[in-house]
Amino acid sequence: MPELSHGRRMLVLAICCMSLLIVSLDNTVLNVALPSLQRELDASTSGLQWTIDAYTLVLASLLMPAGSTADRIGRRRVFLSGLVVFTLGSLLCSLAPDLNWLVVFRMVQAVGGSMLNPVAMSIITNTFTDPRERARAIGVWGAVVGLSMAAGPLVGGLLVDSVGWRSIFWVNLPVGLAALLLTWRFVPESRAPRARRPDPVGQVLVIALFGSLTYAIIEAPHGSWLSTAPFAALAAVALLALLRYEPRRPEPLIDLRFFRSAPFSGATVIAVSAFAALGGFLFLSTLYLQNVRGLSALEAGLWMLPMAVPTFLCAPLSGRLVGSRGPRLPLLVAGGAMTVSGLLFALFEAETSNATLLAGYVLFGVGFGFVNAPITNTAVSGMPLSQAGVASAVASTSRQLGQTLGVAVLGAVLAAGVGSSSYADTFVTASRPGWWILTACGAGVLTLGVLTTGPWARATAERTARRLESEERPPRRTGVGA
């Protein structure tokens, strides 16, 4: 990629952030619309889970091949294709005649989304080569997540109450078209000098692992053991096959060498934990505010602002801290705030008091605002630029897998606790195990933030980077005429 002026780099960052905005906004807007979907389409709890998880599941399955494909054939080309497919999928979602078709069209959306975020992050990584400037750019990237969380509930609430749930997908159309035109005009093409070849066997194993595991979790409360056990077994077999097959390939879909770096491994697990907490938190909160408290979609969106605004404000601060002091402090703040937030719900039934509910939302927003920048920075820092798409795709996959598992696990826990009763009668008691799970996710972020940011962890990252770079270089020729 040619060296760009400061203004051009800022424009590229803004265009990439537009893609993140529509992908992130889509999830927060949809969460507010879940009760409306439940009423209009006669959806069960598992049906609501699938409207979210069909999207995040496909994203998680396709992000890594999208990143490596972009490195190989051109990041701008793949990014443009993703914008077209995502915008078309949004239009189809708004026209869905029933829940089944909505789930299918959400998967179409996700195919496009898989070409956006990891490729955009790869473009940013190759555009901002100075480490401090890159950290600040990633902080802005994280702030866009906060913006989507702040705007999503309000925009979704207004649209659902005034027009209906279908209109939430219309928001993506003008933003997607504008991003498409700007990308075509201003984003330069870039490729890796030597990108990985396709790995179809690894891709099939990833899809089998993620899909069967999610199905087993979501459907467990509604079916017999015999109906879900085969899917759990398939997930285990796919995982074992991946661990055995991928190291044998010269260019695998999942490069397990990355995980020799303790910071990279820690960032991956932190991403799964933090985004599982986010997915579960939004799912439980939306159903509680509208189905238990009886609030409208707009009122529920206003109640979620105390979570969204701190996320928006803390994300750029986290990026600056990562650039100046490293990832440890932001991770400690994130893990501590998310853990205390979970404890407020698990121990003190924060839902039953406006004051504790508000405190729980604020603390979770602070924690989630601080966690995104260190995840992204750690995932791409120290890795060869030629593999930036693959490294950032692993981080993005971890996020989507975490959100998928969060909705699947907490939705299953809630469905098992509620049973045939109404939400109003049993929600607080039925959701208690789910809040303990969220507390454990926050504690995991806190613990790994300590363990994977010290001198030992940094040494493993340096050794991994040197090894990756040496293994990428072609062997030197020896002998006569060398």
Side-chain angles (χ1 to χ4, degrees), residues 135 138-139 142 315 318-320 322 369-378 399:
I138 290 172
S318 177
R320 287 194 293 272
V322 170
F370 271 94
V371 82
N372 216 24
I375 290 172
T376 304
N377 185 266
T378 304
R399 292 183 176 92

Side-chain angles (χ1 to χ4, degrees), residues 143-436:
V144 173
V145 177
L147 177 63
S148 71
M149 291 183 67
L154 285 179
V155 171
L158 282 169
L159 291 174
V160 171
D161 282 353
S162 59
V163 183
W165 65 265
R166 296 178 187 277
S167 61
I168 64 176
F169 296 104
W170 300 343
V171 178
N172 298 330
L173 304 183
V175 179
L177 290 174
L180 181 66
L181 295 175
L182 290 171
T183 301
W184 186 273
R185 175 67 179 83
F186 294 107
V187 175
E189 184 62 279
S190 64
R191 296 177 178 84
R194 190 181 66 85
R196 282 178 171 82
R197 290 174 294 182
D199 180 10
V201 175
Q203 182 59 59
V204 170
L205 290 173
V206 166
I207 292 173
L209 170 60
F210 292 171
S212 56
L213 178 62
T214 304
Y215 183 89
I217 294 172
I218 290 179
E219 298 300 330
H222 312 287
S224 65
W225 181 86
L226 290 176
S227 65
T228 56
F231 290 93
L234 177 59
V237 171
L239 175 60
L240 293 174
L242 269 174
L243 295 177
R244 184 172 179 82
Y245 173 78
E246 290 297 281
R248 297 169 179 267
R249 281 185 55 84
E251 295 179 333
L253 175 69
I254 305 174
D255 195 334
L256 299 182
R257 296 176 300 171
F258 288 177
F259 293 94
R260 296 170 183 166
S261 165
F264 184 87
S265 299
T268 301
V269 180
I270 288 170
V272 172
S273 299
F275 278 78
L278 174 67
F281 196 98
L282 292 175
F283 190 80
L284 292 180
S285 295
T286 299
L287 293 179
Y288 170 75
L289 291 171
Q290 295 188 55
N291 287 353
V292 179
R293 286 205 170 192
L295 303 181
S296 67
L298 177 57
E299 290 170 333
L302 290 171
W303 256 106
M304 295 173 72
L305 276 179
M307 176 186 65
V309 172
T311 299
F312 175 66
L313 296 177
C314 292
L317 174 60
S318 177
R320 287 194 293 272
L321 285 174
V322 170
S324 61
R325 300 185 59 179
R328 171 170 282 195
L329 180 58
L331 288 175
L332 296 184
V333 173
M338 294 171 74
T339 302
V340 175
S341 173
L343 287 173
L344 281 177
F345 289 92
L347 283 179
F348 302 106
E349 296 185 357
E351 306 100 321
T352 59
S353 164
N354 286 343
T356 51
L357 184 64
L358 179 64
Y361 281 5
V362 170
L363 284 169
F364 189 89
V366 170
F368 192 75
F370 271 94
V371 82
N372 216 24
I375 290 172
T376 304
N377 185 266
T378 304
V380 299
S381 296
M383 296 296 172
L385 285 180
S386 62
Q387 302 302 336
V390 178
S392 62
V394 172
S396 296
T397 297
S398 302
R399 292 183 176 92
Q400 298 302 329
L401 178 61
Q403 193 163 349
T404 300
L405 293 177
V407 173
V409 172
L410 270 73
V413 168
L414 180 65
V418 171
S420 58
S421 304
S422 67
Y423 280 160
D425 295 333
T426 60
F427 185 93
V428 173
T429 302
S431 63
R432 183 76 59 82
W435 293 117
W436 278 114

